[in-house]
Amino acid sequence: EPEVTQTPSHQVTQMGQEVILRCVPISNHLYFYWYRQILGQKVEFLVSFYNNEISEKSEIFDDQFSVERPDGSNFTLKIRSTKLEDSAMYFCASSERVAQFFGPGTRLTVL
Amino acid sequence: KNEVEQSPQNLTAQEGEFITINCSYSVGISALHWLQQHPGGGIVSLFMLSSGKKKHGRLIATINIQEKHSSLHITASHPRDSAVYICAVRSGGGRGGADGLTFGKGTHLIIQP
């Protein structure tokens, strides 16, 4: 069964460094999403992406964040100049239309 | 902005019991998801509903659009059902498939043998 994959599963970085989180959505899906979950809190929407551009973004998704679909399969989230409060689980999701399918997540730890 | 509330926050039950988890939301939606999150953190989609009722194995999900309420039921519960169950809604913004979901805080379910 097709699934969304994410790499790495765990990323540790120093405060101020840039990180790139990678996702491979399900191949025939057209819509892509990033969510984050700070430990002990609920999942929060960051951004959605369709037709090679951002479709919707939350107030969390400020200039520190960017997304890209560099080729036909990958979907990336870049976090510039990471802060301690960026430590969270980051989930990628994709959908063909409405039903979203989630990847296993990348646990980002900022030291 | 949609507010999604789940109840109960925590639920401990004995194996075999019938489980009900509730979700209510404040603003009209185009779809509601029920998700399962295990201790490792991964999220699995269980159901997506826009009306009525869906059943998959021992899981049943219902939604009442007029009352802005959904329930997830587990029949003949088993210890492997222990997980966090999350309700998430997609607002009817009319912007097609790219609408982000708004999540509830989740219900922590423990099924004891």
PDB file of all heavy atoms in Angstrom, chain A residues 61-87:
ATOM      1  N   PHE A  61       3.835  29.765  10.390  1.00  0.00           N
ATOM      2  CA  PHE A  61       4.712  29.653   9.217  1.00  0.00           C
ATOM      3  C   PHE A  61       5.191  31.041   8.814  1.00  0.00           C
ATOM      4  O   PHE A  61       4.632  31.681   7.908  1.00  0.00           O
ATOM      5  CB  PHE A  61       3.954  28.965   8.085  1.00  0.00           C
ATOM      6  CG  PHE A  61       4.822  28.534   6.937  1.00  0.00           C
ATOM      7  CD1 PHE A  61       5.414  27.277   6.951  1.00  0.00           C
ATOM      8  CD2 PHE A  61       5.050  29.351   5.840  1.00  0.00           C
ATOM      9  CE1 PHE A  61       6.215  26.853   5.895  1.00  0.00           C
ATOM     10  CE2 PHE A  61       5.838  28.948   4.791  1.00  0.00           C
ATOM     11  CZ  PHE A  61       6.422  27.693   4.812  1.00  0.00           C
ATOM     12  N   ASP A  62       6.229  31.519   9.515  1.00  0.00           N
ATOM     13  CA  ASP A  62       6.732  32.857   9.218  1.00  0.00           C
ATOM     14  C   ASP A  62       7.946  32.757   8.286  1.00  0.00           C
ATOM     15  O   ASP A  62       8.202  31.707   7.692  1.00  0.00           O
ATOM     16  CB  ASP A  62       7.062  33.585  10.523  1.00  0.00           C
ATOM     17  CG  ASP A  62       8.102  32.848  11.362  1.00  0.00           C
ATOM     18  OD1 ASP A  62       8.846  32.004  10.809  1.00  0.00           O
ATOM     19  OD2 ASP A  62       8.163  33.102  12.568  1.00  0.00           O
ATOM     20  N   ASP A  63       8.698  33.840   8.176  1.00  0.00           N
ATOM     21  CA  ASP A  63       9.815  33.891   7.226  1.00  0.00           C
ATOM     22  C   ASP A  63      10.935  32.907   7.552  1.00  0.00           C
ATOM     23  O   ASP A  63      11.834  32.694   6.742  1.00  0.00           O
ATOM     24  CB  ASP A  63      10.389  35.305   7.181  1.00  0.00           C
ATOM     25  CG  ASP A  63       9.426  36.290   6.567  1.00  0.00           C
ATOM     26  OD1 ASP A  63       8.467  35.836   5.901  1.00  0.00           O
ATOM     27  OD2 ASP A  63       9.608  37.507   6.756  1.00  0.00           O
ATOM     28  N   GLN A  64      10.889  32.323   8.728  1.00  0.00           N
ATOM     29  CA  GLN A  64      11.892  31.336   9.113  1.00  0.00           C
ATOM     30  C   GLN A  64      11.706  30.024   8.339  1.00  0.00           C
ATOM     31  O   GLN A  64      12.622  29.235   8.194  1.00  0.00           O
ATOM     32  CB  GLN A  64      11.757  31.079  10.614  1.00  0.00           C
ATOM     33  CG  GLN A  64      12.783  30.165  11.209  1.00  0.00           C
ATOM     34  CD  GLN A  64      12.397  29.696  12.598  1.00  0.00           C
ATOM     35  OE1 GLN A  64      11.289  29.969  13.078  1.00  0.00           O
ATOM     36  NE2 GLN A  64      13.302  29.002  13.256  1.00  0.00           N
ATOM     37  N   PHE A  65      10.499  29.820   7.856  1.00  0.00           N
ATOM     38  CA  PHE A  65      10.147  28.563   7.210  1.00  0.00           C
ATOM     39  C   PHE A  65      10.015  28.745   5.698  1.00  0.00           C
ATOM     40  O   PHE A  65       9.592  29.806   5.225  1.00  0.00           O
ATOM     41  CB  PHE A  65       8.806  28.037   7.738  1.00  0.00           C
ATOM     42  CG  PHE A  65       8.796  27.671   9.191  1.00  0.00           C
ATOM     43  CD1 PHE A  65       8.454  28.610  10.154  1.00  0.00           C
ATOM     44  CD2 PHE A  65       9.111  26.385   9.597  1.00  0.00           C
ATOM     45  CE1 PHE A  65       8.434  28.267  11.503  1.00  0.00           C
ATOM     46  CE2 PHE A  65       9.090  26.033  10.940  1.00  0.00           C
ATOM     47  CZ  PHE A  65       8.751  26.981  11.895  1.00  0.00           C
ATOM     48  N   SER A  66      10.331  27.698   4.959  1.00  0.00           N
ATOM     49  CA  SER A  66      10.037  27.686   3.531  1.00  0.00           C
ATOM     50  C   SER A  66       9.781  26.243   3.104  1.00  0.00           C
ATOM     51  O   SER A  66      10.247  25.303   3.759  1.00  0.00           O
ATOM     52  CB  SER A  66      11.164  28.295   2.711  1.00  0.00           C
ATOM     53  OG  SER A  66      12.371  27.568   2.872  1.00  0.00           O
ATOM     54  N   VAL A  67       9.034  26.077   2.034  1.00  0.00           N
ATOM     55  CA  VAL A  67       8.765  24.756   1.482  1.00  0.00           C
ATOM     56  C   VAL A  67       9.112  24.756   0.013  1.00  0.00           C
ATOM     57  O   VAL A  67       9.086  25.786  -0.660  1.00  0.00           O
ATOM     58  CB  VAL A  67       7.292  24.308   1.672  1.00  0.00           C
ATOM     59  CG1 VAL A  67       6.992  24.013   3.130  1.00  0.00           C
ATOM     60  CG2 VAL A  67       6.334  25.337   1.107  1.00  0.00           C
ATOM     61  N   GLU A  68       9.403  23.553  -0.467  1.00  0.00           N
ATOM     62  CA  GLU A  68       9.827  23.427  -1.860  1.00  0.00           C
ATOM     63  C   GLU A  68       9.505  22.016  -2.333  1.00  0.00           C
ATOM     64  O   GLU A  68       9.522  21.066  -1.554  1.00  0.00           O
ATOM     65  CB  GLU A  68      11.339  23.669  -1.946  1.00  0.00           C
ATOM     66  CG  GLU A  68      11.869  23.894  -3.331  1.00  0.00           C
ATOM     67  CD  GLU A  68      13.366  24.200  -3.304  1.00  0.00           C
ATOM     68  OE1 GLU A  68      14.076  23.656  -2.458  1.00  0.00           O
ATOM     69  OE2 GLU A  68      13.806  24.978  -4.158  1.00  0.00           O
ATOM     70  N   ARG A  69       9.196  21.920  -3.617  1.00  0.00           N
ATOM     71  CA  ARG A  69       9.094  20.617  -4.251  1.00  0.00           C
ATOM     72  C   ARG A  69      10.174  20.600  -5.332  1.00  0.00           C
ATOM     73  O   ARG A  69       9.915  20.965  -6.472  1.00  0.00           O
ATOM     74  CB  ARG A  69       7.703  20.431  -4.824  1.00  0.00           C
ATOM     75  CG  ARG A  69       7.402  19.051  -5.326  1.00  0.00           C
ATOM     76  CD  ARG A  69       5.921  18.772  -5.265  1.00  0.00           C
ATOM     77  NE  ARG A  69       5.535  17.665  -6.127  1.00  0.00           N
ATOM     78  CZ  ARG A  69       5.613  16.391  -5.780  1.00  0.00           C
ATOM     79  NH1 ARG A  69       6.089  16.050  -4.615  1.00  0.00           N
ATOM     80  NH2 ARG A  69       5.213  15.449  -6.602  1.00  0.00           N
ATOM     81  N   PRO A  70      11.384  20.201  -4.946  1.00  0.00           N
ATOM     82  CA  PRO A  70      12.532  20.378  -5.847  1.00  0.00           C
ATOM     83  C   PRO A  70      12.521  19.473  -7.074  1.00  0.00           C
ATOM     84  O   PRO A  70      13.164  19.772  -8.064  1.00  0.00           O
ATOM     85  CB  PRO A  70      13.727  20.061  -4.939  1.00  0.00           C
ATOM     86  CG  PRO A  70      13.177  19.191  -3.872  1.00  0.00           C
ATOM     87  CD  PRO A  70      11.768  19.648  -3.658  1.00  0.00           C
ATOM     88  N   ASP A  71      11.786  18.362  -6.978  1.00  0.00           N
ATOM     89  CA  ASP A  71      11.691  17.466  -8.118  1.00  0.00           C
ATOM     90  C   ASP A  71      10.303  16.838  -8.093  1.00  0.00           C
ATOM     91  O   ASP A  71       9.442  17.290  -7.347  1.00  0.00           O
ATOM     92  CB  ASP A  71      12.815  16.412  -8.067  1.00  0.00           C
ATOM     93  CG  ASP A  71      12.828  15.687  -6.728  1.00  0.00           C
ATOM     94  OD1 ASP A  71      11.745  15.318  -6.234  1.00  0.00           O
ATOM     95  OD2 ASP A  71      13.912  15.495  -6.173  1.00  0.00           O
ATOM     96  N   GLY A  72      10.094  15.812  -8.885  1.00  0.00           N
ATOM     97  CA  GLY A  72       8.749  15.256  -8.970  1.00  0.00           C
ATOM     98  C   GLY A  72       8.313  14.417  -7.802  1.00  0.00           C
ATOM     99  O   GLY A  72       7.155  14.016  -7.732  1.00  0.00           O
ATOM    100  N   SER A  73       9.240  14.157  -6.841  1.00  0.00           N
ATOM    101  CA  SER A  73       8.849  13.254  -5.760  1.00  0.00           C
ATOM    102  C   SER A  73       9.022  13.849  -4.367  1.00  0.00           C
ATOM    103  O   SER A  73       8.249  13.552  -3.472  1.00  0.00           O
ATOM    104  CB  SER A  73       9.632  11.946  -5.851  1.00  0.00           C
ATOM    105  OG  SER A  73      11.016  12.198  -5.782  1.00  0.00           O
ATOM    106  N   ASN A  74      10.009  14.702  -4.148  1.00  0.00           N
ATOM    107  CA  ASN A  74      10.268  15.184  -2.800  1.00  0.00           C
ATOM    108  C   ASN A  74       9.505  16.462  -2.486  1.00  0.00           C
ATOM    109  O   ASN A  74       9.208  17.269  -3.367  1.00  0.00           O
ATOM    110  CB  ASN A  74      11.767  15.453  -2.626  1.00  0.00           C
ATOM    111  CG  ASN A  74      12.570  14.174  -2.584  1.00  0.00           C
ATOM    112  OD1 ASN A  74      12.583  13.477  -1.587  1.00  0.00           O
ATOM    113  ND2 ASN A  74      13.222  13.855  -3.696  1.00  0.00           N
ATOM    114  N   PHE A  75       9.208  16.639  -1.194  1.00  0.00           N
ATOM    115  CA  PHE A  75       8.579  17.860  -0.679  1.00  0.00           C
ATOM    116  C   PHE A  75       9.336  18.197   0.597  1.00  0.00           C
ATOM    117  O   PHE A  75       9.429  17.357   1.493  1.00  0.00           O
ATOM    118  CB  PHE A  75       7.093  17.590  -0.406  1.00  0.00           C
ATOM    119  CG  PHE A  75       6.325  18.746   0.152  1.00  0.00           C
ATOM    120  CD1 PHE A  75       6.365  19.989  -0.438  1.00  0.00           C
ATOM    121  CD2 PHE A  75       5.516  18.575   1.269  1.00  0.00           C
ATOM    122  CE1 PHE A  75       5.643  21.059   0.070  1.00  0.00           C
ATOM    123  CE2 PHE A  75       4.786  19.624   1.787  1.00  0.00           C
ATOM    124  CZ  PHE A  75       4.854  20.871   1.187  1.00  0.00           C
ATOM    125  N   THR A  76       9.939  19.387   0.645  1.00  0.00           N
ATOM    126  CA  THR A  76      10.824  19.685   1.766  1.00  0.00           C
ATOM    127  C   THR A  76      10.324  20.870   2.584  1.00  0.00           C
ATOM    128  O   THR A  76       9.663  21.780   2.062  1.00  0.00           O
ATOM    129  CB  THR A  76      12.253  19.991   1.279  1.00  0.00           C
ATOM    130  OG1 THR A  76      12.222  21.152   0.453  1.00  0.00           O
ATOM    131  CG2 THR A  76      12.833  18.822   0.498  1.00  0.00           C
ATOM    132  N   LEU A  77      10.685  20.840   3.862  1.00  0.00           N
ATOM    133  CA  LEU A  77      10.459  21.957   4.776  1.00  0.00           C
ATOM    134  C   LEU A  77      11.823  22.421   5.266  1.00  0.00           C
ATOM    135  O   LEU A  77      12.574  21.624   5.824  1.00  0.00           O
ATOM    136  CB  LEU A  77       9.593  21.532   5.964  1.00  0.00           C
ATOM    137  CG  LEU A  77       9.392  22.583   7.064  1.00  0.00           C
ATOM    138  CD1 LEU A  77       8.527  23.740   6.566  1.00  0.00           C
ATOM    139  CD2 LEU A  77       8.742  21.945   8.307  1.00  0.00           C
ATOM    140  N   LYS A  78      12.139  23.684   5.025  1.00  0.00           N
ATOM    141  CA  LYS A  78      13.405  24.246   5.486  1.00  0.00           C
ATOM    142  C   LYS A  78      13.119  25.189   6.647  1.00  0.00           C
ATOM    143  O   LYS A  78      12.208  26.030   6.568  1.00  0.00           O
ATOM    144  CB  LYS A  78      14.103  25.017   4.362  1.00  0.00           C
ATOM    145  CG  LYS A  78      15.456  25.591   4.771  1.00  0.00           C
ATOM    146  CD  LYS A  78      16.030  26.512   3.716  1.00  0.00           C
ATOM    147  CE  LYS A  78      16.458  25.794   2.481  1.00  0.00           C
ATOM    148  NZ  LYS A  78      17.141  26.692   1.516  1.00  0.00           N
ATOM    149  N   ILE A  79      13.888  25.009   7.696  1.00  0.00           N
ATOM    150  CA  ILE A  79      13.786  25.902   8.852  1.00  0.00           C
ATOM    151  C   ILE A  79      15.125  26.619   8.987  1.00  0.00           C
ATOM    152  O   ILE A  79      16.165  25.967   9.223  1.00  0.00           O
ATOM    153  CB  ILE A  79      13.447  25.153  10.148  1.00  0.00           C
ATOM    154  CG1 ILE A  79      12.234  24.240   9.961  1.00  0.00           C
ATOM    155  CG2 ILE A  79      13.171  26.163  11.274  1.00  0.00           C
ATOM    156  CD1 ILE A  79      11.918  23.367  11.167  1.00  0.00           C
ATOM    157  N   ARG A  80      15.129  27.905   8.792  1.00  0.00           N
ATOM    158  CA  ARG A  80      16.361  28.694   8.888  1.00  0.00           C
ATOM    159  C   ARG A  80      16.571  29.131  10.332  1.00  0.00           C
ATOM    160  O   ARG A  80      15.618  29.402  11.051  1.00  0.00           O
ATOM    161  CB  ARG A  80      16.274  29.933   7.998  1.00  0.00           C
ATOM    162  CG  ARG A  80      16.354  29.646   6.525  1.00  0.00           C
ATOM    163  CD  ARG A  80      16.270  30.947   5.728  1.00  0.00           C
ATOM    164  NE  ARG A  80      14.889  31.389   5.598  1.00  0.00           N
ATOM    165  CZ  ARG A  80      14.071  30.970   4.650  1.00  0.00           C
ATOM    166  NH1 ARG A  80      14.470  30.105   3.756  1.00  0.00           N
ATOM    167  NH2 ARG A  80      12.827  31.417   4.607  1.00  0.00           N
ATOM    168  N   SER A  81      17.823  29.196  10.730  1.00  0.00           N
ATOM    169  CA  SER A  81      18.180  29.728  12.046  1.00  0.00           C
ATOM    170  C   SER A  81      17.261  29.159  13.144  1.00  0.00           C
ATOM    171  O   SER A  81      16.465  29.881  13.766  1.00  0.00           O
ATOM    172  CB  SER A  81      18.079  31.263  12.019  1.00  0.00           C
ATOM    173  OG  SER A  81      18.597  31.816  13.210  1.00  0.00           O
ATOM    174  N   THR A  82      17.398  27.874  13.365  1.00  0.00           N
ATOM    175  CA  THR A  82      16.511  27.173  14.300  1.00  0.00           C
ATOM    176  C   THR A  82      16.609  27.744  15.713  1.00  0.00           C
ATOM    177  O   THR A  82      17.674  28.205  16.159  1.00  0.00           O
ATOM    178  CB  THR A  82      16.837  25.677  14.346  1.00  0.00           C
ATOM    179  OG1 THR A  82      18.253  25.509  14.528  1.00  0.00           O
ATOM    180  CG2 THR A  82      16.398  24.981  13.082  1.00  0.00           C
ATOM    181  N   LYS A  83      15.463  27.693  16.397  1.00  0.00           N
ATOM    182  CA  LYS A  83      15.353  28.146  17.782  1.00  0.00           C
ATOM    183  C   LYS A  83      14.981  26.945  18.660  1.00  0.00           C
ATOM    184  O   LYS A  83      14.483  25.932  18.164  1.00  0.00           O
ATOM    185  CB  LYS A  83      14.285  29.224  17.893  1.00  0.00           C
ATOM    186  CG  LYS A  83      14.567  30.458  17.047  1.00  0.00           C
ATOM    187  CD  LYS A  83      13.435  31.465  17.132  1.00  0.00           C
ATOM    188  CE  LYS A  83      12.319  31.046  16.213  1.00  0.00           C
ATOM    189  NZ  LYS A  83      11.409  32.165  15.886  1.00  0.00           N
ATOM    190  N   LEU A  84      15.208  27.104  19.951  1.00  0.00           N
ATOM    191  CA  LEU A  84      14.883  26.017  20.873  1.00  0.00           C
ATOM    192  C   LEU A  84      13.423  25.599  20.737  1.00  0.00           C
ATOM    193  O   LEU A  84      13.101  24.406  20.783  1.00  0.00           O
ATOM    194  CB  LEU A  84      15.160  26.425  22.320  1.00  0.00           C
ATOM    195  CG  LEU A  84      16.628  26.697  22.672  1.00  0.00           C
ATOM    196  CD1 LEU A  84      16.736  27.189  24.111  1.00  0.00           C
ATOM    197  CD2 LEU A  84      17.477  25.453  22.473  1.00  0.00           C
ATOM    198  N   GLU A  85      12.558  26.589  20.543  1.00  0.00           N
ATOM    199  CA  GLU A  85      11.120  26.299  20.486  1.00  0.00           C
ATOM    200  C   GLU A  85      10.688  25.638  19.179  1.00  0.00           C
ATOM    201  O   GLU A  85       9.508  25.298  19.022  1.00  0.00           O
ATOM    202  CB  GLU A  85      10.297  27.571  20.735  1.00  0.00           C
ATOM    203  CG  GLU A  85      10.657  28.735  19.851  1.00  0.00           C
ATOM    204  CD  GLU A  85      11.655  29.688  20.504  1.00  0.00           C
ATOM    205  OE1 GLU A  85      12.593  29.230  21.201  1.00  0.00           O
ATOM    206  OE2 GLU A  85      11.504  30.905  20.278  1.00  0.00           O
ATOM    207  N   ASP A  86      11.617  25.461  18.240  1.00  0.00           N
ATOM    208  CA  ASP A  86      11.301  24.695  17.034  1.00  0.00           C
ATOM    209  C   ASP A  86      11.367  23.189  17.279  1.00  0.00           C
ATOM    210  O   ASP A  86      11.002  22.395  16.406  1.00  0.00           O
ATOM    211  CB  ASP A  86      12.259  25.055  15.894  1.00  0.00           C
ATOM    212  CG  ASP A  86      12.098  26.498  15.443  1.00  0.00           C
ATOM    213  OD1 ASP A  86      10.957  27.013  15.472  1.00  0.00           O
ATOM    214  OD2 ASP A  86      13.119  27.110  15.068  1.00  0.00           O
ATOM    215  N   SER A  87      11.850  22.786  18.440  1.00  0.00           N
ATOM    216  CA  SER A  87      11.895  21.357  18.775  1.00  0.00           C
ATOM    217  C   SER A  87      10.473  20.806  18.783  1.00  0.00           C
ATOM    218  O   SER A  87       9.600  21.295  19.517  1.00  0.00           O
ATOM    219  CB  SER A  87      12.536  21.150  20.150  1.00  0.00           C
ATOM    220  OG  SER A  87      13.892  21.521  20.129  1.00  0.00           O
TER     221      SER A  87
END
